[in-house]
Amino acid sequence: MNYPNGRKNGDLYKQKKLYSHQFGNRGMSLEKDINDTNAYYLETKKAVIHKKPTPVQIVKVNYPKRSAAVITEAYFKQASTTDYNGVYREKYIDFEAKETKNKTLFPLANIHDHQVDHMQAVVAQGGITFLLIRFSVLDETYLFPAERLFAHWDAHLKGDKKSIAYKTIKQQGYFIPFQYKARVDYLTIIDKLYF
């Protein structure tokens, strides 16, 4: 069936499907959603959690204009630990955010030894640490506690495991529904798990 503007019925369906898909993904990265959430937590005095700056050594800078400088060469000073840290309800919070386009698994290659070592040290000191994992194609975000990650990581180090299955993350992790203000409201899950 054709409409007066020449568009076919199927075209209208595809357009609606495309629109709903775009809204579903919202065009945002996990990091942007977390940063917006943390800004909301700070504004409402719920928590103080920030993205950690990555330590960089600047080596070369070009000055194409007097008012502009362009960094042309820089190096990481050291391996970073995790992405975010702060304080919530008098507890230290520390977590890593990871996004994957894979629908069926989360590759453990996305995590580094020094990050897991850091998370183990945080747990040993009584802090709260976890992964926020977004399956971007599915548009689903999960909080995966570090204590559950460690067993998978040990199997990975032994060569037994290269990934964590999506269904395992669904079973052992906690789904975080998208919200308007606190886009990735991970503190609601922290309240249930630790307080």
Side-chain angles (χ1 to χ4, degrees), residues 24 32 81 89 91 103 125 134 138 172:
K32 170 112 174 63
T81 52
R89 294 177 65 176
K91 278 285 214 177
K103 294 184 212 175
Q125 291 298 321
R134 176 169 287 167
L138 302 172
Q172 296 181 5

Side-chain angles (χ1 to χ4, degrees), residues 44-111:
T44 58
K45 297 179 175 31
K46 188 168 184 175
V48 178
I49 300 169
H50 295 286
K51 182 160 177 47
K52 295 179 196 175
T54 305
V56 174
Q57 174 70 46
I58 297 171
V59 179
K60 287 184 187 175
V61 180
N62 286 342
Y63 296 92
K65 289 191 232 174
R66 216 177 148 161
S67 62
V70 177
I71 298 168
T72 57
E73 189 175 345
Y75 301 97
F76 294 113
K77 281 185 181 179
Q78 62 194 32
S80 63
T81 52
T82 52
D83 291 331
Y84 294 87
N85 70 344
V87 180
Y88 175 60
R89 294 177 65 176
E90 300 180 357
K91 278 285 214 177
Y92 178 72
I93 303 279
D94 192 290
F95 64 93
E96 179 69 15
K98 296 292 184 186
E99 225 167 330
T100 182
K101 291 181 180 177
N102 198 306
K103 294 184 212 175
T104 59
L105 55 88
F106 173 73
L108 286 167
N110 288 356
I111 306 170

Side-chain angles (χ1 to χ4, degrees), residues 33-41 181-186:
D33 284 344
I34 293 169
N35 291 343
D36 289 348
T37 300
N38 288 343
Y40 174 75
Y41 289 159
K181 290 187 179 182
R183 295 179 186 278
V184 184
D185 189 11
Y186 56 89

Side-chain angles (χ1 to χ4, degrees), residues 126-171:
I128 298 169
T129 184
F130 51 90
L131 290 176
L132 286 183
I133 302 170
R134 176 169 287 167
F135 291 89
S136 56
V137 175
L138 302 172
D139 199 22
E140 293 179 5
T141 305
Y142 292 87
L143 184 149
F144 199 74
E147 295 85 350
R148 294 186 180 164
L149 168 66
F150 299 152
H152 297 283
W153 187 255
D154 289 343
H156 172 67
L157 292 178
K158 292 175 187 169
D160 297 339
K161 199 171 228 196
K162 291 186 179 182
S163 62
I164 305 173
Y166 164 75
K167 68 178 185 173
T168 302
I169 290 172
K170 254 184 115 161
Q171 291 166 352

